Amino acid sequence: MRGAYTTLELAPTTGADGVIPVSSTGLGEHPADLVVDGRPLLRLLDEVGEGHGVDTVSPLASDLPPVLRADHVERLLGRGPGSADGRRVIYSCPDCDDPGCGAVTAFVAHDGEDVVWRDFAWQTGPTADLAGEGYPGVGPYRFHGAAYRSVLLRLLESSACRSVA
């Protein structure tokens, strides 16, 4: 039996003060955040991580907003090479995208038309340490494939998704 479906949406990233930047074009030039079941994913990860010694917001968003990079979004869509273990980057360092700076990753699997994200972790090396740097209780998230692709394609087409030079 398949689990319940999760909604996936985009919203402008909120600052540390919780204020959403104003933009006349929706996402516009402001960085975007992924919203799962009505909650910004980065904030959810930070809340869970605080109780388990895993810090997400300060490395990724203390003075710079989280970054959803075009090449990572492409991989979330199943395009391009992924890691051998099925993990994909969700958020990366907003400054350099160096894996050594750390990234929030998740195991991404396709189940028929559906896409499932599970086993979220803060990852700074070639493998994720779920026991030491995982986010217990976050996920799994099962998305309807068509809705998932629609949201991520909309992100790719917006100026909110950063390309790496």
Side-chain angles (χ1 to χ4, degrees), residues 80-102:
S83 65
D85 63 358
R87 299 192 72 75
R88 302 289 184 267
V89 172
I90 309 293
Y91 298 106
S92 65
C93 173
D95 189 36
C96 67
D97 194 32
D98 181 341
C101 284

